[in-house]
Amino acid sequence: MVPPPPTVHLLDYVAGNVRSLVNAIEKVGYSVEWVRSPDEVARAERLILPGVGHFGHCLGQLAAAGFLPAVRAHVDAGKPFMGICVGLQALFEGSSEDPAVPGLGFVKGTLDRFDDERKAVPHIGWNSANASGKSLYDLRPESKYYYVHSYKYPYVKGQLEDQGWTVATGSYGGETFVGAVAKGNVLATQFHPEKSGVAGLRVLKAFLNGEGAKTLGQEVAGPAPTGGLTKRVIACLDVRTNDQGDLVVTKGDQYDVREKTDQRGVRNLGKPVELARKYYEQGADEVTFLNITSFRDCPLADLPMLEILRRTSETVFVPLTIGGGIRDTVDTDGTKVSALEIATMYFKSGADKVSIGSDAVLAAEEYHAGGRRLFGNTAIEQIARAYGNQAVVVSVDPKRVYVPNRTDATRHNTIRTRFPGPRGEEYCWYACTIKGGRETRDLDVVELVQAVEAMGAGEILLNCIDRDGTNSGFDLELVEQVKDAVRIPVIASSGAGNPAHFQEVFEKTRTDAALGAGMFHRGEYTVKQVKDYLAEKGLEVRKFEGEL
């Protein structure tokens, strides 16, 4: 008889996407049991505190449920303990994110926020965790790890080491921060190992099998560490039902997903779960699913996208974003369901981020009509409060409107363009659209992104109707206008047709990531070819590391 896999215990409080952590733990050969009361902590041998979102919310939930004394007793007893993301931050004495809430105090020091004067915050993406030649749970200098956070512990050489901690660091925009710390039976990572591909699985394995603790702090030889934050390459899958009722990945030509034949069938480019895994294995840094079918007659608990996420997260260990249908709605039995409840269903099924489209435009219109006033009840605000800003992406579908001048032709935020309009117009503004580009609103892209940033969105997915499906490259002017308008990260989307388009958008704009779709689905280029090309041109990218 095959013995059951050894067990690791996870603290259960509202922590966003924990399904991926469970899948990652099972991938390295362990089973998971949930700790749902303080009494159950005592029977845990290995304990993990997962975390996303807000420092005060995390510590407040743990304190209210009575977990904090039990966690301290577990650590004091010398049993293995791991904190992830906010789980690392909880080990410190406090954070400027919520100064009134004390941390556990295992590590002396207080966290502060990244400076957003010259860089996007949150810090989202793949960065280093450099342990400076010391062994730290199989962290490797050539590997990259997935971070998503706004608050960090600033690294000062010798400060934590004098407390007995072995430290790994990352750097972002001139600030060096703590990426991981370990001492004795305790390991904590600011990055998400369950979202860091094979590099992250190695860290989890070293914690769970005890090898990481045995070799902690030993001198190790290895290659020189790589640079800082990488250029993220994201694969996007537009998912909808075809005329036969099957879920397929499709791709629009300026948002038209039907073939240019007499039959006008939905363009079918493959199956969602299989394609997502293929792109992960090619080195995609993230995978985004955009659900462009309403599934109006389907009970919410049976939404096909939930099953797609569940199955994808079993084999894809990079961040997953899901968009489409995340709004207040009424279920088929008449029950009212909030956008937050729908987002929670997606997070529990394996999503790390949710993307909001048309409803963000309508919320932005209300925000500006009310004199830039926040109402607190929008989907963006509710989800960001519960799961953190980094969990909310706003997907923008703008298109060009040409005008003869920038002074009296329109009230909107205009740019002088290098691509004049049909009548030679030298200026344009970008009008926001809803309903898959079918309806144009009197709201420009700057007004939209500034409104949703104020509401708590953590990232902008910047599409462009004019470039969609054209394979002519990204709209660099649009990307720069939006980067000038906000301090949160921006993902450039629409128009990628070859690897040089990715190089162009990374070198000529300040975009934080770039997204491809059709060129990958049609097999014209692989994600690996794009990243190899970028590396040859001297850009920092994450290399896929193969199997565990």
Side-chain angles (χ1 to χ4, degrees):
M1 222 171 107
V2 178
T7 302
V8 58
H9 288 78
L10 261 61
L11 262 178
D12 185 19
Y13 74 107
V14 183
N17 173 18
V18 287
R19 177 176 285 270
S20 291
L21 180 57
V22 173
N23 289 337
I25 290 167
E26 291 176 348
K27 175 80 173 174
V28 297
Y30 289 74
S31 65
V32 170
E33 282 190 26
W34 290 99
V35 172
R36 294 193 163 93
S37 73
D39 298 341
E40 295 175 2
V41 174
R43 62 183 172 84
E45 178 59 29
R46 308 169 192 83
L47 183 64
I48 296 180
L49 173 60
V52 297
H54 191 274
F55 178 88
H57 180 258
C58 169
L59 271 299
Q61 294 274 97
L62 293 171
F67 277 122
L68 296 181
V71 170
R72 285 196 177 92
H74 178 95
V75 173
D76 290 343
K79 295 180 178 179
F81 175 86
M82 181 177 187
I84 295 173
C85 195
V86 178
L88 170 140
Q89 297 183 6
L91 299 184
F92 285 80
E93 293 173 301
S95 170
S96 63
E97 186 171 21
D98 200 334
V101 176
L104 284 160
F106 289 119
V107 191
K108 304 304 176 195
T110 301
L111 298 116
D112 61 20
R113 193 174 190 272
F114 279 113
D115 178 9
D116 64 6
E117 197 60 43
R118 291 184 179 84
K119 61 181 178 289
V121 176
H123 168 230
I124 297 180
W126 297 79
N127 208 326
S128 301
N130 177 23
S132 300
K134 296 285 174 66
S135 173
L136 205 170
Y137 287 83
D138 214 359
L139 289 177
R140 300 186 185 180
E142 71 274 22
S143 293
K144 295 291 186 181
Y145 304 88
Y146 183 76
Y147 294 86
V148 51
H149 58 123
S150 298
Y151 290 80
K152 49 71 171 102
Y153 188 73
Y155 178 70
V156 177
K157 190 171 184 179
Q159 197 176 68
L160 297 182
E161 290 88 345
D162 289 347
Q163 299 177 38
W165 295 95
T166 302
V167 184
T169 62
S171 61
Y172 179 48
E175 296 185 86
T176 302
F177 62 90
V178 170
V181 292
K183 178 169 72 169
N185 54 314
V186 176
L187 165 67
T189 64
Q190 181 62 70
F191 59 84
H192 285 270
E194 77 281 13
K195 287 289 155 186
S196 297
V198 170
L201 295 176
R202 282 197 300 259
V203 175
L204 281 173
K205 188 174 181 180
F207 168 73
L208 294 171
N209 66 19
E211 290 302 314
K214 287 179 189 171
T215 60
L216 180 64
Q218 294 177 6
E219 298 286 338
V220 289
T226 56
L229 189 66
T230 68
K231 303 298 185 185
R232 274 184 291 156
V233 176
I234 299 173
C236 181
L237 294 82
D238 290 340
V239 180
R240 66 159 288 164
T241 48
N242 63 13
D243 299 326
Q244 291 72 46
D246 301 318
L247 270 182
V248 299
V249 174
T250 188
K251 184 69 192 83
D253 180 356
Q254 297 186 311
Y255 289 34
D256 179 5
V257 299
R258 292 191 174 272
E259 298 282 12
K260 304 281 194 274
T261 60
D262 293 342
Q263 288 77 30
R264 293 282 291 154
V266 172
R267 199 172 285 115
N268 180 354
L269 297 171
K271 294 181 178 179
V273 177
E274 286 83 349
L275 279 179
R277 178 169 183 174
K278 181 170 88 170
Y279 299 146
Y280 165 66
E281 291 173 347
Q282 290 175 2
D285 295 316
E286 297 182 27
V287 174
T288 295
F289 292 107
L290 295 181
N291 165 18
I292 57 176
T293 302
S294 64
F295 304 120
R296 285 188 188 88
D297 301 322
C298 179
L300 289 173
D302 298 329
L303 279 177
M305 290 306 298
L306 296 176
E307 181 61 18
I308 284 176
L309 281 169
R310 282 191 283 266
R311 289 174 53 207
T312 301
S313 67
E314 290 171 1
T315 58
V316 174
F317 298 103
V318 296
L320 301 174
T321 300
I322 174 73
I326 298 158
R327 61 172 65 91
D328 294 343
T329 190
V330 178
D331 209 343
T332 50
D333 64 359
T335 307
K336 288 184 177 178
V337 184
S338 71
L340 175 59
E341 289 170 307
I342 292 173
T344 297
M345 291 166 67
Y346 281 132
F347 290 136
K348 286 183 174 177
S349 297
D352 301 282
K353 302 185 254 190
V354 293
S355 174
I356 298 173
S358 296
D359 279 29
V361 176
L362 303 179
E365 290 174 343
E366 285 188 19
Y367 169 81
H368 287 290
R372 293 181 171 244
R373 186 161 65 91
L374 295 172
F375 294 93
N377 61 348
T378 64
I380 295 170
E381 291 165 281
Q382 291 181 53
I383 298 167
R385 266 199 308 274
Y387 293 103
N389 301 41
Q390 81 294 328
V392 184
V393 180
V394 168
S395 180
V396 188
D397 296 324
K399 64 180 181 181
R400 286 185 171 223
V401 178
Y402 286 98
V403 290
N405 61 64
R406 75 186 326 164
T407 49
D408 56 2
T410 178
R411 68 169 184 84
H412 289 292
N413 291 282
T414 59
I415 60 166
R416 185 166 194 164
T417 177
R418 293 182 293 114
F419 307 98
R423 297 183 183 86
E425 300 98 331
E426 293 185 3
Y427 296 89
C428 71
W429 61 280
Y430 290 91
C432 295
T433 67
I434 59 174
K435 300 177 182 175
R438 295 188 300 276
E439 184 179 316
T440 305
R441 310 291 290 190
D442 187 29
L443 182 80
D444 67 54
V445 71
V446 171
E447 291 171 321
L448 173 61
V449 297
Q450 290 181 341
V452 300
E453 180 179 40
M455 291 174 203
E459 204 166 19
I460 301 294
L461 172 52
L462 185 59
N463 307 299
C464 177
I465 292 178
D466 309 286
R467 294 296 179 105
D468 182 63
T470 64
N471 296 331
S472 59
F474 299 94
D475 189 330
L476 308 182
E477 295 175 336
L478 170 62
V479 174
E480 275 302 276
Q481 187 182 32
V482 170
K483 281 297 294 181
D484 282 338
V486 293
R487 293 183 173 180
I488 55 178
V490 173
I491 302 166
S493 173
S494 303
N498 61 58
H501 290 150
F502 286 83
Q503 178 195 6
E504 180 182 52
V505 77
F506 283 130
E507 290 185 342
K508 294 185 178 179
T509 79
R510 292 161 290 152
T511 193
D512 301 277
L515 178 150
M519 60 182 278
F520 298 143
H521 307 332
R522 293 186 296 268
E524 294 160 358
Y525 296 94
T526 65
V527 178
K528 184 177 185 299
Q529 284 174 314
V530 170
K531 296 181 86 171
D532 287 348
Y533 180 88
L534 294 175
E536 287 169 12
K537 299 297 180 182
L539 295 166
E540 186 85 17
V541 294
R542 175 186 74 101
K543 294 296 183 71
F544 185 73
E545 299 193 44
E547 281 298 311
L548 183 65

